[in-house]
Amino acid sequence: MLIFIAVVAGVYTIASGFLQVRYVKDMVVHTFTGKSSESGVSPFQSLVIALSGRVGTGNIAGVATAIAAGGPGAVFWMWFIAFFGSAAAFAESTLAQIYKKKVDGEYRGGPAYYAEKGLGWKWYGYIFAVVAAVSTCLLTPGVQANAIADSMNNAFGIGPVITGIALVVITGYVIFGGVRRIAFLASYVVPIMALFYLIVAAIVIFANIEQIPSTFALIFSSAFGVDSAFGGMVGAAISWGVRRGLYSNEAGQGTGAQAAAAAEVSHPVKQGLVQTFSVYIDTLLICTATALMILMTGNYSVTDPDGGYIVDYTNGMEAGAGYTQAAVDGVLGGFGSPFVAISLFLFAFTTLVAYFYIAETNLFYIVRGKSRKVFSNILKVLFLAAIFFGTVRSATFTWTLADIGLGLMVWVNLIAVILLYKPTMIALKDYKAQRKQGLDPVFRPSKVNIKNADYWMEREQEDEKRRKTI
């Protein structure tokens, strides 16, 4: 899987002329200039829905487990997969916009839809929809719930059962409110909490400012096997850095594409660029902040393949949010544990809500007609049960389930993404041509010979009727 995603991301990076560098300005502009409609959310709301799925346990506990299993060099490989993976995120999100459709008055899209419309493989769309619905409903929520329970127990002594019940009640309230309640929650909670987290991280980093050169030297030397302590861990650094980086930023997984499809934009590439930007925010900003806090304060341990320790600076503490809590406590005594616990709760909670949105989107692809509401309610019950189950199980067990779910979605999604290379690059070429002419790009599939983009064809025909009337 790791090799496959690197190949796909590399293909799109080179073919697009390194769009993740060349179009940073466009990413920012499109994020903050679009508006919502009756059918779709704004590009910014779509971004934060995607970020609510991306920014979660992976940014705090996931970074810690990557360092513990792969050494400090794993951080470099998290950066690596974020940079190249962002091209895959662009491709899947652009495709989601091209082949989106209206379902019950709201935009829906993603891998299942572009497999059906773009490839003409309805059966493959069903395969992804089933995999994604099972993964995001049953396999991946446990990691978020378990991390919340663990951090609440460490910080406040609240037992997992109590945390599980509270999570079920709060999550139930949000998911029974529909996509607009999800978007409203994500629009406020994710940006505010991310900002506070980055401020605290900056304080911790500034307090250890003299450690910056040695910390970056440690990351790079460990990544390429030239560090004396971690020289033999290059394979583990690559594996765990890419794995945990991918879990955090979700590039190539297909989940961000489903949030991208919900946006109201004039051209699919616009939202593709916005979703590329969200990968940067997740990994290059928030994950890096966590990694620097942990490494600069020396609050980490690294295990060897035999189960022993190469270094043990935490006295055997289980890898996870505790590393970050200890890092903040070292600078802001007594503040770290409760702050990280609350941060993790909000990050992981919004991720849980995003997971449900993804599961429901894929359920609606599988189940059509009047029975949708019944199956949606069944999905909600199963999802809430999975949350409670995750709070009372071990972290190792929940991470294993999450890795299985992640792997399944990446494989099925990226096969479709690479096969749909042509319409993705046609859309990008059309966007670039219109920008070069000084226009605000508008997508007209008939002009660029992209077929089965049903929503955009209808929109193009409506625009044509309006022009004739005028």
Side-chain angles (χ1 to χ4, degrees):
M1 183 194 75
L2 302 182
I3 294 170
F4 186 40
I5 191 171
V7 170
V8 174
V11 167
Y12 276 106
T13 295
I14 295 168
S16 67
F18 287 81
L19 69 84
Q20 57 265 65
V21 176
R22 295 174 60 195
Y23 290 100
V24 171
K25 181 181 177 181
D26 290 43
M27 295 175 197
V28 177
V29 169
H30 295 324
T31 296
F32 297 104
T33 55
K35 296 181 180 180
S36 62
S37 69
E38 290 184 2
S39 301
V41 298
S42 70
F44 176 74
Q45 286 177 318
S46 176
L47 172 80
V48 293
I49 289 175
L51 278 176
S52 66
R54 289 188 165 107
V55 179
T57 300
N59 298 80
I60 299 176
V63 172
T65 58
I67 292 171
V75 177
F76 171 84
W77 295 106
M78 292 182 78
W79 297 336
F80 174 88
I81 198 60
F83 178 77
F84 285 98
S86 63
F90 164 81
E92 65 185 5
S93 298
T94 300
L95 288 169
Q97 270 287 333
I98 291 173
Y99 298 107
K100 71 182 180 182
K101 63 186 295 186
K102 279 187 183 181
V103 178
D104 296 335
E106 295 178 338
Y107 296 141
R108 298 278 183 173
Y113 293 86
Y114 53 70
E116 177 186 344
K117 294 294 183 179
L119 295 174
W121 296 352
K122 194 169 184 177
W123 59 270
Y124 198 80
Y126 277 114
I127 289 176
F128 181 85
V130 171
V131 166
V134 171
S135 295
T136 54
C137 178
L138 300 176
L139 299 179
T140 54
V143 165
Q144 311 296 329
N146 184 272
I148 291 172
D150 184 54
S151 63
M152 286 295 170
N153 190 37
N154 289 340
F156 306 112
I158 300 173
V161 173
I162 301 299
T163 300
I165 293 171
L167 261 181
V168 167
V169 171
I170 299 170
T171 308
Y173 169 76
V174 175
I175 65 176
F176 276 96
V179 67
R180 292 194 174 277
R181 189 175 290 174
I182 292 170
F184 177 82
L185 174 79
S187 297
Y188 288 94
V189 173
V190 174
I192 293 171
M193 197 62 247
L195 179 62
F196 274 110
Y197 186 77
L198 291 172
I199 290 171
V200 170
I203 293 170
V204 174
I205 292 167
F206 185 77
N208 295 274
I209 195 76
E210 72 283 355
Q211 299 294 328
I212 285 183
S214 61
T215 299
F216 277 94
L218 177 64
I219 290 171
F220 285 103
S221 63
S222 300
F224 297 100
V226 296
D227 182 80
S228 57
F230 309 111
M233 297 191 68
V234 176
I238 295 172
S239 176
W240 285 97
V242 172
R243 189 183 306 179
R244 289 292 168 255
L246 182 59
Y247 180 84
S248 176
N249 63 53
E250 299 184 358
Q253 191 174 329
T255 48
Q258 291 162 86
E264 182 67 68
V265 290
S266 65
H267 198 288
V269 168
K270 288 185 176 182
Q271 199 60 29
L273 292 172
V274 171
Q275 295 305 96
T276 305
F277 189 49
S278 74
V279 174
Y280 288 175
I281 295 172
D282 173 88
T283 305
L284 299 185
L285 195 59
I286 300 176
C287 283
T288 299
T290 300
L292 291 179
M293 284 194 289
I294 290 171
L295 294 174
M296 290 173 73
T297 60
N299 284 289
Y300 66 95
S301 297
V302 179
T303 58
D304 60 33
D306 299 323
Y309 288 100
I310 295 175
V311 297
D312 182 15
Y313 302 139
T314 62
N315 296 317
M317 179 191 296
E318 184 178 7
Y323 285 14
T324 314
Q325 289 174 315
V328 179
D329 271 337
V331 176
L332 303 169
F335 179 74
S337 290
F339 174 76
V340 172
I342 293 169
S343 299
L344 188 58
F345 172 82
L346 292 172
F347 285 163
F349 174 66
T350 52
T351 298
L352 286 172
V353 172
Y355 281 169
F356 176 77
Y357 170 77
I358 294 161
E360 188 180 53
T361 294
N362 286 281
L363 175 73
F364 284 177
Y365 179 86
I366 300 165
V367 180
R368 316 204 176 187
K370 295 180 180 179
S371 57
R372 256 191 195 141
K373 190 168 183 179
V374 174
F375 279 95
S376 177
N377 287 331
I378 293 172
L379 185 78
K380 288 167 183 168
V381 172
L382 291 173
F383 183 73
L384 295 175
I387 289 174
F388 184 80
F389 182 74
T391 62
V392 296
R393 294 304 300 254
S394 70
T396 302
F397 180 80
T398 56
W399 274 107
T400 300
L401 288 182
D403 280 341
I404 292 169
L406 166 70
L408 289 171
M409 284 192 288
V410 169
W411 271 111
V412 180
N413 176 49
L414 284 187
I415 290 170
V417 169
I418 198 65
L419 291 175
L420 288 168
Y421 169 86
K422 186 176 179 180
T424 307
M425 298 312 297
I426 288 173
L428 178 59
K429 185 179 179 181
D430 178 56
Y431 173 86
K432 289 162 67 176
Q434 293 189 54
R435 291 280 287 119
K436 194 173 182 180
Q437 296 171 27
L439 302 173
D440 179 21
V442 175
F443 186 57
R444 298 182 180 89
S446 67
K447 304 289 185 184
V448 293
N449 198 30
I450 291 180
K451 302 184 184 304
N452 299 323
D454 297 343
Y455 162 76
W456 293 99
M457 284 298 296
E458 291 173 9
R459 182 166 169 168
E460 184 179 351
Q461 290 165 5
E462 288 172 4
D463 290 344
E464 190 63 33
K465 286 178 182 177
R466 277 195 292 270
R467 277 195 294 272
K468 288 180 177 178
T469 302
I470 293 171

